[in-house]
Amino acid sequence: AQSVSQHNHHVILSEAASLELGCNYSYGGTVNLFWYVQYPGQHLQLLLKYFSGDPLVKGIKGFEAEFIKSKFSFNLRKPSVQWSDTAEYFCAVRPPGTGGFKTIFGAGTRPFVKA
Amino acid sequence: DGGITQSPKYLFRKEGQNVTLSCEQNLNHDAMYWYRQDPGQGLRLIYYSQIVNDFQKGDIAEGYSVSREKKESFPLTVTSAQKNPTAFYLCASTPEGSYNEQFFGPGTRLTVL
C-alpha cells in the first residue's frame, strides 16, 4: 500500500546535537511535501514545505529538509537542537491525483532533547 | 485573531451515544478536514469538505458523519457505530488553491466510557 514512513519514532539526544528525522514515501509522480510539528499543548503547525524548485527547503526555528526524488525521501534536519525542540514531528505528503485535497501523514517521530 | 476553534477540549461519553464535535474557522478557508490522531499512527483522514454543502469520505469514515452548511463550520458526529471512538480529533482547513499547508485547531480528546 502507498504510504508515508517515518523512522526512529523515539529519539533521545542532548542539546547542541544534530538532529535528522527520516521520511520516505511511496507515491510516484509530483508530490507536495510537508513537515509539521506539534509542541506539547500546542496546535499542530507547519515547519516547512516543498512544492518545486530548490530541493533544500528552509523552515522555521532553524529546521531544513532535503527532497531527494530518486530516494523518495524528505528528511528533516537541524544542526543544533535545543531543549525546546522536544515535540512530535510529522512528515506529510500530498500525492498526485487527489485534487490537492488529500494529505497523507506519517506516524510521527518524537525526539526528546535532554537539557 | 483568525484561527480554528474546536470545542470542547475534553469530552466524555457513554458507549452507545452519538456525540458531535464542533469545528469553527474564521480564516475564510474553503476546505475543511477532520483527522483522528492515535499514538503511533499519525493523523488519519476521516472526512473533508472542499466547499459548502459538499464533503467526501476520507480513509476511515465508517462510524462518522459530517455536515457543511456554512463555510466556517464543519461539525463531526461520532456515532455509536464507530467501534473504537476514543481518540484525539483534529480539525483543519486550507485556503483556496488547495496547494497550501493545512491550519489546525487545538483538537478535542474524546473518551468513551
Side-chain angles (χ1 to χ4, degrees):
Chain A
Q2 295 184 315
S3 65
V4 179
S5 299
Q6 289 185 240
H7 320 298
N8 309 105
H9 294 296
H10 296 280
V11 176
I12 300 175
L13 58 166
S14 300
E15 275 196 313
S18 64
L19 173 70
E20 180 160 359
L21 304 182
C23 174
N24 287 90
Y25 60 92
S26 59
Y27 302 93
T30 301
V31 295
N32 302 136
L33 300 160
F34 307 83
W35 275 97
Y36 288 88
V37 61
Q38 191 172 35
Y39 296 103
Q42 294 189 28
H43 299 201
L44 202 68
Q45 61 184 283
L46 181 74
L47 207 50
L48 47 78
K49 62 184 178 183
Y50 173 79
F51 284 169
S52 63
D54 188 344
L56 185 62
V57 180
K58 295 195 184 300
I60 61 172
K61 305 192 179 191
F63 284 90
E64 63 180 30
E66 186 176 12
F67 169 53
I68 303 179
K69 189 173 182 178
S70 60
K71 295 185 178 181
F72 296 86
S73 71
F74 190 54
N75 293 354
L76 181 72
R77 298 193 291 253
K78 185 170 184 178
S80 177
V81 295
Q82 300 171 317
W83 174 82
S84 58
D85 293 321
T86 294
E88 188 155 24
Y89 295 80
F90 294 94
C91 178
V93 176
R94 193 168 283 161
T98 60
F101 288 102
K102 207 168 178 184
T103 303
I104 313 300
F105 286 80
T109 300
R110 191 184 289 273
F112 178 77
V113 181
K114 298 184 293 183
Chain B
D1 286 336
I4 300 175
T5 56
Q6 292 184 243
S7 61
K9 190 173 181 179
Y10 298 97
L11 191 55
F12 296 87
R13 279 292 181 271
K14 290 183 179 178
E15 197 173 335
Q17 291 181 332
N18 291 356
V19 60
T20 297
L21 280 58
S22 166
C23 177
E24 303 278 331
Q25 53 101 358
N26 61 4
L27 300 167
N28 200 32
H29 287 175
D30 293 298
M32 296 186 74
Y33 308 78
W34 274 105
Y35 291 93
R36 172 181 170 137
Q37 185 179 4
D38 296 284
Q41 296 194 56
L43 278 67
R44 293 182 289 166
L45 183 63
I46 303 173
Y47 268 98
Y48 65 100
S49 168
Q50 299 173 34
I51 55 171
V52 174
N53 293 322
D54 184 62
F55 47 82
Q56 279 78 42
K57 292 182 179 180
D59 299 316
I60 55 165
E62 186 175 347
Y64 299 98
S65 66
V66 293
S67 63
R68 186 86 186 275
E69 296 176 2
K70 297 186 295 183
K71 186 175 184 177
E72 57 270 20
S73 179
F74 190 41
L76 173 75
T77 297
V78 184
T79 75
S80 56
Q82 167 49 233
K83 292 185 172 60
N84 186 20
T86 294
F88 189 56
Y89 291 88
L90 284 168
C91 180
S93 69
T94 51
E96 184 179 358
S98 72
Y99 289 94
N100 288 296
E101 67 269 26
Q102 294 182 311
F103 293 77
F104 286 86
T108 292
R109 186 166 298 280
L110 172 65
T111 302
V112 176
L113 306 169

